């Protein structure tokens, strides 16, 4: 089933063109990686899909999924790293869904606990968020995003700043969510080698034109061959 269809999306910052006519679709169960050079508009596109930033032209159509059922992990900011709250609180806050709540329900707490189990962060659940390592913080933020949804996750460079081992762990965890829990994933990454390992579809945004298709089709493109060299037939 098709979950999302984006057609000919254009986005600007004042007079700067940030996204220039991007089209792609996402089916339930897909793992789509958005790759491409810096400044190609990947983060801006995610914000456009979420309605956090205005689209000047084109359309974003969700099919059978509400905006409130989308989990979003934005690019890491200093504010996030220094978030002065406990791990449990951070995960639970994913149940707010933009609403103000005076208290969390038993169901909210059950879902938060379930996601802390999936992310294997039970042993740190009573710690303060800002005393965790970068990798632990990302796990907590993923658990938080999962509290909003078990259907569609939008992840913006979730491994930035993590060391190679923790990065691989993170990708495996995201892949596990996709394969074992059926969560559809849209992930921005600059790491093309990992993208082709885990994603079944690739959107490659380049200043001189985009590619959208299966990972196998992407491997045959000149852009993939340029980046991956001899590995592109792997
Ligand atoms: P990517 O995620 O692919 O690196 P971005 O979506 O961050 O690209 O940026 C796309 C373009 O929009 C770039 O030219 C960038 O300089 C510009 N841009 C991004 N954020 C802003 C902003 N807040 N204000 C003005 N221009 C921006």
């Amino acid at each position: 089933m098709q979950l999302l269809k984006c057609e000919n999306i254009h986005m600007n910052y004042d007079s700067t063109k940030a996204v220039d006519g991007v089209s792609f679709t996402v089916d339930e169960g897909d793992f789509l990686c958005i790759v491409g050079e810096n400044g190609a508009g990947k983060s801006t596109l995610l914000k456009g899909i979420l309605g956090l930033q205005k689209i000047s032209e084109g359309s974003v159509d969700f099919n059978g999924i509400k905006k409130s059922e989308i989990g979003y992990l934005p690019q890491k900011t200093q504010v996030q790293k220094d978030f002065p709250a406990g791990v449990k609180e951070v995960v639970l806050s994913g149940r707010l869904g933009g609403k103000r709540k005076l208290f969390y329900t038993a169901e909210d707490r059950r879902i938060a606990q379930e996601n802390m189990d999936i992310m294997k962060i039970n042993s740190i659940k009573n710690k303060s968020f800002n005393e965790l390592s970068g990798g632990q913080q990302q796990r907590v933020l993923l658990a938080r995003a999962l509290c909003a949804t078990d259907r569609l996750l939008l992840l913006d460079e979730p491994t930035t700043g993590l060391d190679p081992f923790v990065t691989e762990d993170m990708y495996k965890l995201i892949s596990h969510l996709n394969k074992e829990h059926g969560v559809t994933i849209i992930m921005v990454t600059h790491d093309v080698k990992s993208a082709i390992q885990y994603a079944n579809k690739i959107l490659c945004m380049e200043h001189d034109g985009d590619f959208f298709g299966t990972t196998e089709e992407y491997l045959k493109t000149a852009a993939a061959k340029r980046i991956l060299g001899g590995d592109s037939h792997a």
Side-chain angles (χ1 to χ4, degrees), residues 11-14 16-19 34-47 53 75 156-157 188 205 207:
M11 296 175 70
N12 308 303
Y13 292 98
D14 298 323
T16 312
K17 203 161 223 352
V19 177
I34 305 178
V35 298
E37 53 207 0
N38 273 338
K42 304 183 294 297
S43 295
T44 305
L45 176 64
L46 282 197
K47 289 178 194 154
Q53 208 156 308
Q75 245 180 58
D156 195 350
E157 303 256 17
V188 169
M205 295 171 69
H207 286 118

Side-chain angles (χ1 to χ4, degrees), residues 12 49 68 101 128:
N12 308 303
I49 295 170
S68 60
K101 275 194 184 189
S128 168

